[in-house]
Amino acid sequence: MMACTMTAGLAIPKAEAARIHTAKQGDTFYLLSKQYNVNLTTLMKENPSIHALNIYPGLKITIPGISAKPGVFVPSLNVFPDQKIVEAWGKTFSYSKTLGVRATAYSSDAAENGGWGAVDYFGNPLVLGTIAVDPKVIPLGTKVLVTGHAHPGLPKKAFVAVARDIGGAIKGNKIDIFIPGSQQSVRMFGFQDIKLYFIQ
């Protein structure tokens, strides 16, 4: 089986003190969360008296500090379907659609890679989070945010992947996730129903 290269598009939050932002024309909670690199949900909770659709020039908005220490990942996942936005690990993504799939996992063992070695469909080395897909369902090159999985060898809550591999058993709404490690440890993944967000 071969796979997709994962893109570690998850941000490390920066420690910063709370500040007051004076709203200008066109400001939204979403844009401010990106501007200040803060969690969208946290930003909205910090300003409970401000309605998301009533942000006007001159309004004072509290931008919360991030309690996490620099360099420390804080697992998080928040979805805002009305805005087609998903927030993971402090980074915000716009998504076009979602897809529920049945996921399995594989290692770099030669027996699992069709004799091609530990490389994806394009000949690139397999890396953490690489996924194999059915190109008729998920075109090669598609970037997705993988959510709903559970395995100690994968980032918690969510991770970004790019569809760069295929596999003979990967047909329809199925993906296969490459996880570094022994065949035995990777088999612990089993079968999992997960959700993909198609991001840019």
Side-chain angles (χ1 to χ4, degrees):
M1 202 149 341
M2 304 203 312
C4 117
T5 172
M6 160 169 167
T7 304
L10 303 175
I12 300 176
K14 298 176 182 177
E16 57 183 52
R19 67 181 74 179
I20 301 299
H21 173 88
T22 301
K24 58 185 181 300
Q25 189 67 39
D27 276 349
T28 65
F29 278 132
Y30 168 62
L31 292 176
L32 292 175
S33 73
K34 293 186 71 175
Q35 178 180 336
Y36 290 103
N37 192 28
V38 298
N39 180 291
L40 181 58
T41 301
T42 302
L43 176 61
M44 295 177 74
K45 286 181 179 178
E46 189 74 18
N47 298 275
S49 63
I50 299 176
H51 191 279
L53 299 178
N54 190 31
I55 296 178
Y56 50 87
L59 182 67
K60 303 298 182 184
I61 301 174
T62 301
I63 308 297
I66 299 174
S67 59
K69 295 179 181 179
V72 176
F73 285 114
V74 179
S76 65
L77 179 66
N78 298 291
V79 182
F80 305 91
D82 54 326
Q83 300 175 56
K84 288 291 186 83
I85 295 170
V86 58
E87 180 275 327
W89 293 76
K91 185 167 184 179
T92 304
F93 303 89
S94 295
Y95 67 91
S96 58
K97 65 177 182 178
T98 63
L99 180 68
V101 298
R102 172 58 66 96
T104 52
Y106 65 105
S107 70
S108 59
D109 189 282
E112 297 183 78
N113 292 284
W116 295 98
V119 295
D120 65 22
Y121 180 78
F122 299 99
N124 300 308
L126 297 176
V127 295
L128 176 65
T130 292
I131 61 172
V133 301
D134 179 347
K136 293 179 181 178
V137 177
I138 302 174
L140 289 170
T142 300
K143 184 184 288 187
V144 296
L145 186 70
V146 182
T147 69
H149 57 280
H151 189 277
L154 293 172
K156 295 180 180 179
K157 300 283 188 178
F159 64 91
V160 176
V162 181
R164 291 187 185 269
D165 207 357
I166 60 175
I170 308 303
K171 301 296 181 187
N173 288 20
K174 295 181 180 179
I175 69 169
D176 207 13
I177 302 171
F178 170 73
I179 303 176
S182 67
Q183 238 183 340
Q184 184 177 3
S185 67
V186 172
R187 281 179 182 156
M188 293 168 52
F189 185 92
F191 295 89
Q192 297 185 26
D193 292 316
I194 65 174
K195 188 171 187 178
L196 304 179
Y197 291 83
F198 288 66
I199 61 178
Q200 298 189 3

